[in-house]
Structure formats: C-alpha cells, structure tokens
Amino acid sequence: MCDVVNAVRRAIEVLTASRAAAVDYSKQAGGWLGIDGNDDDDAAAIWAEVLMLPPEQTLALMWKVMKDNPRLGEAVLLDLTCFAAHHL
C-alpha cells in the first residue's frame, strides 16, 4: 500500500508543480517507483487510474495521500469530507 500512496503523491506533485519542484517520494534510484520514461506521462497514467476507482476507495486513498501533507492540510481534508458527503 505504501508504494501506491507514494506513487499517487508523486503523480500529484508532477501534475501540479514544475518538474524541478516535484518531490520524489520513491526510495529507488533511476526513476520513481521503477517507472521509466517521461514523468508527466507516468503521472497522468497513475492519475487516470485513481479517477477510475470507486468513490469509497478514492476517499480512502486520498486520505492516506494527503493527511500528512503540511502544505495542503486542512483544506484538502475538508474537500475530501465534501467529496464523501456527495458521493458516498
């Protein structure tokens, strides 16, 4: 599960920040989580998979991804609560 959470964290960083500012959450050298190729393409592919999850799984995953992020913090958790209220 930790690899999935880290991959989603990395994908969000790549998709929302310049590549130079993206945080590498992986512990593997030579690419994040063993994925080779373009970071933008890899991030988009991971995010596409997240979007196909059922709402309850999306909520659980995003809670794990965002809960310890000091930059996003409470605002994201409030968004997740709103998501849960509308979709679950």
Side-chain angles (χ1 to χ4, degrees), residues 61-82:
L61 175 62
M62 294 310 294
W63 188 270
K64 285 189 152 297
V65 167
M66 297 297 184
K67 73 181 182 96
D68 294 324
N69 189 327
R71 291 185 299 135
L72 302 175
E74 187 176 355
V76 170
L77 297 181
L78 291 173
D79 265 357
L80 290 176
T81 302
C82 183

Side-chain angles (χ1 to χ4, degrees), residues 23-75:
V23 176
D24 188 351
Y25 290 97
S26 72
K27 293 181 180 168
Q28 299 179 8
W32 51 291
L33 297 171
I35 300 171
D36 295 323
N38 184 305
D39 276 356
D40 296 334
D41 292 342
D42 295 339
I46 289 170
W47 190 245
E49 293 297 321
V50 170
L51 294 177
M52 293 190 325
L53 291 171
E56 60 276 5
Q57 290 177 3
T58 301
L59 177 64
L61 175 62
M62 294 310 294
W63 188 270
K64 285 189 152 297
V65 167
M66 297 297 184
K67 73 181 182 96
D68 294 324
N69 189 327
R71 291 185 299 135
L72 302 175
E74 187 176 355

